[in-house]
Every structure is written in C-alpha cells, then in structure tokens.
Amino acid sequence: MNRTIPRLAVAAALLLAAQNVLAASAVEEAQTLVNQGHLDAALSKLDKQLKTAPQDAEARFMRGLVLTRLNRTEEAIKAFADITRDYPQLPEPYNNLAVLYAQQGDYEKARDALEAALATHPSYATAHENLGDIYAALAGAAYNRALMLDQGNQTVRNKLSFVNKLSENANTPRATPSVAVTPAPPPVAAIAPEAPAISPAPSVASDEVDPGTTADVREAVNNWAKAWSSKDSDAYLAAYSSEFRPEGGISRATWEAQRRDRIARPKRIRVGVVNPRASGLGDGRVRLIFKQEYESDSFSDTVTKVLELRNEGGWKILREYTR
C-alpha cells in the first residue's frame, strides 16, 4: 500500500499549522507593542510578517488598525479596502473602512461600506449600530441643506433639531479592534495545494515571455477588465480557470456569489489595466503584474494586481492577489 500521499498530507498540515502559529505570534507581539504605545515598532513587526506572508489577513487587519492609530488615514483606508477585496467574506474590514470614511465626513462611502459588511454578515450588530449613526448624519446633512434653501420652514427646523439631539446621544461609529481568520483544516488525504492558501509562497519567475504570448495574455486580461467594467458577470467569471482557488480559504461557489453581488451592486464600474508586465513561471504559466484602477459610483482605488494565468485553449486566471 502506498502511504506517500497521506504522509505528504500530514507534513503539509503540520507546515500550515506552523505557519499559522508564527503568524499568530507576530500579530500578538504587534498587539503587545500597540498596548505599550510603541506604534512604529508594531508597524515594523507587521510589515516584516507580511513580507513572508503577504496574504496574512490578521496581520493586514492589525496593520490597518496601527495605521489608523498613527493618523495615517489614507494608508489605513487602502489597507482595509485591500482586505475587503481579497477577503470579501470578512465584515470587520468593511466596518473599519466605514469608520474612517465617517471621520472624513464622507457618509455616503461609510454607508456603502457598512451595507457591504451587512450583506456578508446580516447579524453583525456593530455594523447595524454604526449604520444607524451614519443615517442620522446623512439626515442631518440633508435637513441642513433644506434649511439653507428655505430658512422659514419650521418643519425642517424641528426635524433637524430632533436629529441633532439624536446625534448628541449617539456614539461615534465604532471600529472593530481585531479580526480572527481560522482557515478550514486540510483533508487528511489531501496534498498541500488542496489546503486553503492563507499565506501563499510567491512563485518564482523563470524565462522571459515571448512577445506573442505576452500580447495574448494582455488581451485576455483586458477582456477580463472589460467584462468587469460592463458588469457582465458571466464573461468576468469565465476568465477564471476551473482550477482557480480564491484567496482566504473560501469556497469557489461562495466567491462567485460574492463577485456577482459586488459587480451588480454599483450603477457604474470602470476598471483600468495600466502598465502590465509579464514574466514566465514555468509549467506554461505566466504572471502579469499591473496597476489596477477601479472606480464605481461609490468607491475608487488603485492597487498593484497580480494575476497568474495558464493557456487552457485561451488564457485563464489561476490565481489572483494584490501587493
């Protein structure tokens, strides 16, 4: 009887467990530094962890919290927005995005972020409470505008007074102080690639890609971006290989449902692929690195996107993550 595969599986499981312990240790050490007021040291500790495990969701979340404490708001917003894209099943990053947007007075973005959190976890009490505070702020702003246009309108003045009293008694929108990501354990007889890829090792580039292949890969990615921009979910999802595994350990079916919702929700989407660079990874795979410019009617950002593709009668996405 061949016991090679089970032994490989056990070794892979032990390795994954060791990686998770190290990741947890780094986050715990960073939390201790934060509690001691050593924010810069905590940030350095987290950055070091993320160099070896760029998809460590807990470390990324803690990093966003530290950036917030350092008043580096734009960097914190980017950190939490990146997590929502890579781990859309987690409601906490959406909530903290909403808090940061509210601090900037951008209540529309705050509302959209909280609604996204509740679409993921309808029972998330903190997000419900924060959403109520945001709606109160939006109502106050609307009544203020109405009163400026019609200062003699006593009904509007009474409504504004009521909302102001409500706001005085309301708490400032609350951030989530931590997030725990517990990946499902790998099956006993599974080889390492079947395990959830929480902390993936970077692929090593090999030979340069010939111009013809580079052109074909770029065309495939441009078509992917066009499908996304035109809100064509079927064409967008068709760009992914049947062997594509979402980051974060969620199932393919859950990921597809989330992507369809995220594409359908905005009224308008524009996705740009800027300065794509291709490199070979061996086994017929190609990595394309580019600047992704995303803009919708309620959100916009720019990130460095990495796609790994393979020719399957057409170039298909095997892996997707941000840097």
Side-chain angles (χ1 to χ4, degrees), residues 225-261:
K226 288 177 182 177
W228 192 355
S229 297
S230 61
K231 296 168 59 67
D232 186 343
S233 298
D234 290 338
Y236 170 85
L237 294 173
Y240 292 83
S241 168
S242 61
E243 297 182 20
F244 172 78
R245 295 292 180 269
E247 304 289 332
I250 63 174
S251 70
R252 175 69 178 263
T254 299
W255 173 82
E256 287 194 4
Q258 291 172 346
R259 295 311 300 163
R260 287 185 184 278
D261 179 69

Side-chain angles (χ1 to χ4, degrees), residues 69-258:
R69 292 278 295 273
L70 288 167
N71 294 319
R72 291 161 62 173
T73 304
E74 292 303 324
E75 292 176 73
I77 286 174
K78 183 179 185 305
F80 288 124
D82 287 347
I83 300 172
T84 65
R85 185 169 34 254
D86 293 343
Y87 297 89
Q89 78 277 19
L90 298 177
E92 295 89 353
Y94 291 109
N95 180 73
N96 287 10
L97 262 181
V99 172
L100 292 171
Y101 287 142
Q103 289 174 356
Q104 294 182 328
D106 196 336
Y107 298 118
E108 287 81 6
K109 282 187 177 181
R111 177 199 59 204
D112 291 345
L114 288 168
E115 287 178 348
L118 293 170
T120 304
H121 279 261
S123 60
Y124 189 15
T126 300
H128 279 291
E129 180 183 357
N130 285 345
L131 186 59
D133 293 338
I134 295 302
Y135 278 133
L138 285 168
Y143 289 142
N144 261 318
R145 288 192 293 269
L147 197 58
M148 289 175 65
L149 295 171
D150 184 5
Q151 296 186 13
N153 191 324
Q154 188 59 43
T155 300
V156 172
R157 193 178 298 278
N158 291 339
K159 289 179 179 179
L160 179 59
S161 176
F162 174 77
V163 169
N164 286 339
K165 289 179 181 178
L166 181 65
S167 298
E168 288 174 5
N169 294 325
N171 295 319
T172 301
R174 293 187 292 132
T176 306
S178 63
V179 60
V181 180
T182 307
V188 173
I191 303 175
E194 292 296 322
I198 297 297
S199 301
S203 303
V204 179
S206 57
D207 299 332
E208 293 184 2
V209 184
D210 67 80
T213 297
T214 297
D216 291 343
V217 170
R218 287 181 177 178
E219 182 181 7
V221 172
N222 282 331
N223 289 337
W224 164 83
K226 288 177 182 177
W228 192 355
S229 297
S230 61
K231 296 168 59 67
D232 186 343
S233 298
D234 290 338
Y236 170 85
L237 294 173
Y240 292 83
S241 168
S242 61
E243 297 182 20
F244 172 78
R245 295 292 180 269
E247 304 289 332
I250 63 174
S251 70
R252 175 69 178 263
T254 299
W255 173 82
E256 287 194 4
Q258 291 172 346

